[in-house]
Amino acid sequence: MDVGSTAFILAASMAVALMIPGLALFYGGMVGARSVLNMIMMVFGSVAVVGVLWTLFGFSAVFGDSYGGLGLLGDLTEHAGLSAMVAGDEAATLPPALVAIFQALFAVITTALIAGAVADRVRFGPWLIFAGLWATLVYFPVAHWVFAFDSADGGVTGGWIANKLAAVDFAGGTAVHINAGVAALALVLVAGKRTGWPSQARPNGLPLVALGAGMLWFGWFGFNGGSALAAGNSASIVMLTTFNATCAAILAWLFVEKLRDGHATTLGGMSGAIAGLVAITPACGAVSPLGALAIGAIAGAVCPLAVALKYRFGYDDSLDVVGVHLAGGLIGTILIGLFGIADAPSGQAGLFYGGGFTLLGKQTVAALAVLAYSFAVTWVIAFALQKTIGLRLSTAKEAEGVDLVEHAEVAYDLEGKPGAPETTPAPAPSLAPVS
């Protein structure tokens, strides 16, 4: 066991775990004051559901031996329950349980990302059911395609994108961002628009958005750097490219905003940071620091234009999951085919560095395959739930506010009035002596 690498991945896992409250605050600050708690609960609720499923069979579905050697889905029973990991494996570089928790965080974050697309209008219970079904039918298979590599001895067959296609996705541009982004689009198309859209309440707390974005940026160093699965040069390069792309994306987004709208906004700057982080996720181990700057700048300039498409085409993506994660994921995944260098940890050269069109073709196939599968299956899941138990709040309840309707709470009690207890308390016992 590599003690140094184990310590590094332990720290990376804790950083990634911080992305959960980071995402909750980022999304929670962007919605109106009557939807803050629901947004936070949708994030934490989906994390809880997917975390349980990951232990029961999710890890097996992703990292188990592929059924029939097809690279489509891992053996659901191979690691079911994760009980075998308690004994550990001293011959392994990392404890198997550590790999399991690190990858579990990828699964829960990916599912939670989708929540932002349907803010203000989805019932909490059906959302939790959607999260469980989506993780089972979409995330686990796609993560197997992308993250499961063939074992060195040939005894375990991994996913088709990682091995047969050999596309590059260092930390999840396809499995995480394209997957969640296009799923958000499918869910939005089924759930429909909010009442009164495109007129909606303004963000209730931009400082919360900035705090959440900062926490996400911190966690992303663990997300991308930890994907090297070892402490060393590869992880260091990945952290450098992650930092570079984010900085470039912030500046590019603000520049586009200033040209288009006349103002460089706080919300735009924070959105630019996330766009850069999204785009560099698949490419962080594939490009040079200058290539990272280019990818970040392109994502920062294109994603605000992609966000505006929802007004042109009429789909109500509440918190711009499609415009940032789908667009950013596609940009980062495909641009590897242009900016990839052979000296980077991923070791494949793109078109601009003498690699021809081969890598560009692989990246495009991987991106389109995940996009098509995720959209189709997500649409079926959402449509089935809408037609059976119902996803949407009624118009009256939506107008009342999702926090109050679904959770019987408000985020900000500005009056501070004492409230009546829900039940009448029992009378206090008498202190008089018993005769």
Side-chain angles (χ1 to χ4, degrees), residues 114-136:
I114 303 169
V118 287
D120 304 326
R121 62 196 187 276
V122 169
R123 295 166 57 217
F124 185 61
W127 161 253
L128 295 183
I129 295 172
F130 171 86
L133 290 173
W134 189 84
T136 300

Side-chain angles (χ1 to χ4, degrees), residues 24-37 39 116 119-120 194 198-211 257 265-271 307 310-311 317-320 403 411-412:
L25 291 175
F26 182 73
Y27 279 172
M30 290 174 69
V31 296
R34 297 188 303 167
S35 303
V36 181
L37 299 178
M39 198 70 263
D120 304 326
R194 288 168 289 179
S199 297
Q200 292 300 319
R202 291 183 294 180
N204 78 92
L206 289 175
L208 290 182
V209 176
L211 176 61
E257 266 197 332
T265 68
T266 304
L267 182 59
M270 299 308 101
S271 298
V307 166
K310 66 182 181 182
Y311 300 109
D317 173 18
S318 303
L319 306 184
D320 304 326
D403 282 359
Y412 308 110

Side-chain angles (χ1 to χ4, degrees), residues 397-408:
K397 289 183 176 180
E398 186 181 336
E400 189 175 349
V402 65
D403 282 359
L404 196 58
V405 167
E406 289 293 300
H407 307 290

Side-chain angles (χ1 to χ4, degrees), residues 1 79 81-92 94-98 100:
M1 183 180 295
H79 306 289
L82 303 183
S83 297
M85 294 187 178
V86 175
D89 182 0
E90 290 299 323
L94 297 173
L98 179 54

Side-chain angles (χ1 to χ4, degrees), residues 265-285:
T265 68
T266 304
L267 182 59
M270 299 308 101
S271 298
I274 303 304
L277 290 163
V278 167
I280 200 60
T281 293
C284 57

Side-chain angles (χ1 to χ4, degrees), residues 299-372:
V302 172
C303 285
L305 305 178
V307 166
L309 292 177
K310 66 182 181 182
Y311 300 109
R312 173 173 292 185
F313 294 107
Y315 58 90
D316 182 9
D317 173 18
S318 303
L319 306 184
D320 304 326
V321 182
V322 179
V324 173
H325 292 275
L326 176 56
L330 286 170
I331 289 167
T333 298
I334 293 173
L335 288 185
I336 294 171
L338 302 180
F339 293 106
I341 60 172
D343 292 336
S346 296
Q348 294 195 52
L351 179 63
F352 294 165
Y353 293 88
F357 288 94
T358 301
L359 182 57
L360 182 61
K362 292 178 180 179
Q363 298 304 116
T364 303
V365 169
L368 293 179
V370 172
L371 188 152

Side-chain angles (χ1 to χ4, degrees), residues 138 142 145-146 160-161 173-176 178-180 182 365-376:
V138 181
V142 171
W145 302 355
V146 176
W160 71 273
I161 288 178
T174 52
V176 176
I178 294 175
N179 199 4
V182 77
V365 169
L368 293 179
V370 172
L371 188 152
Y373 176 81
S374 182
F375 181 86

